[in-house]
Amino acid sequence: MTREGDGRAPTGWVIFDYGEVISRRTEAIPELAACLDVPRAEFEPAYWAQRDVYDRGCSDLDYWRAIGDALGVRVDEATSAELTEIDIAGWAPTEEATLELLDSLSAAGARLALLSNAPSSFARFAERQPWAGHFRELLFSGDVGIAKPDKAIFAMLLDRLEADPADCFFLDDRQYNVDGARAAGLRAERWLGVEAARRHLPL
């Protein structure tokens, strides 16, 4: 599908991130803040400060309670469930251009995998979406307790794919995750949109 040295991805696996690659950036922050009856300006820093722990496997309830504790708000199980539902919905909208790219890659016979830093609750939602059918493997950090850019999660993915690092090409919107993939031996590029990605892909 590609010639060696032509600057394109290898003919093995193409691995996508989810957030802000397949999906749009969440717009649920104001609704989440309103659910806790706190100003957005106070809520948003707490939301992101606790996110890495959430992505690495802490429960929904522990995540939202940590945010609540930071803001002086009590979070019970019912509130946690409501916040989780809002949060999942916020990350659900997808970029049509990226979905079209996945369609094209699938039609070209590319082997696709997904590697996403995401909590397990979102993973169960994602697995049911039509776009998930493009991927032969979906690996979510919340399910395994490790996350990008840790080398261990790239090693786990390679093991599941039964692939050599050099046979894998990774796309992610965060440069530190791209750097982590490269340190693990994968070819990787930062996601700058569909047209930029196409220059590296076997199409």
Side-chain angles (χ1 to χ4, degrees):
M1 293 167 64
T2 62
R3 298 187 304 277
E4 184 176 354
D6 70 356
R8 289 176 176 258
T11 57
W13 291 88
V14 181
I15 303 161
F16 281 79
D17 176 37
Y18 176 76
E20 299 183 62
V21 174
I22 295 172
S23 79
R24 305 171 196 166
R25 185 174 179 84
T26 183
E27 296 182 355
I29 298 296
E31 187 176 359
L32 291 165
C35 185
L36 292 181
D37 195 26
V38 296
R40 173 178 177 165
E42 295 179 15
F43 174 84
E44 189 164 9
Y47 175 89
W48 292 115
Q50 301 295 331
R51 199 70 185 187
D52 184 64
V53 177
Y54 194 27
D55 287 343
R56 291 175 184 268
C58 91
S59 70
D60 298 333
L61 183 58
D62 286 345
Y63 173 62
W64 297 114
R65 279 185 170 168
I67 293 174
D69 289 346
L71 298 171
V73 178
R74 181 177 178 274
V75 175
D76 58 20
E77 292 187 6
T79 303
S80 171
E82 182 180 2
L83 289 164
T84 300
E85 183 177 352
I86 295 168
D87 192 48
I88 289 172
W91 287 105
T94 50
E95 292 285 0
E96 187 61 33
T98 309
L99 297 186
E100 291 173 359
L101 176 61
L102 294 175
D103 287 340
S104 297
L105 286 165
S106 293
R111 290 182 291 175
L112 304 179
L114 182 81
L115 177 58
S116 176
N117 284 359
S120 294
S121 52
F122 182 83
R124 304 290 81 78
F125 166 82
E127 290 167 344
R128 301 192 300 270
Q129 303 313 301
W131 55 260
H134 288 297
F135 297 102
R136 302 189 192 186
E137 182 68 39
L138 299 104
L139 179 54
F140 296 95
S141 62
D143 291 336
V144 297
I146 50 178
K148 299 174 291 183
D150 294 1
K151 188 174 182 178
I153 199 166
F154 293 105
M156 180 177 292
L157 180 63
L158 292 170
D159 184 63
R160 291 190 181 187
L161 299 181
E162 298 181 343
D164 292 327
D167 291 329
C168 298
F169 180 72
F170 177 63
L171 287 161
D172 194 292
D173 65 303
R174 307 290 183 182
Q175 185 62 46
Y176 52 77
N177 291 333
V178 171
D179 294 342
R182 290 174 176 169
L186 288 72
R187 289 192 60 195
E189 295 290 340
R190 187 174 179 187
W191 177 262
L192 298 173
V194 167
E195 291 309 311
R198 281 183 179 275
R199 294 197 293 269
H200 302 284
L201 293 170
L203 291 171

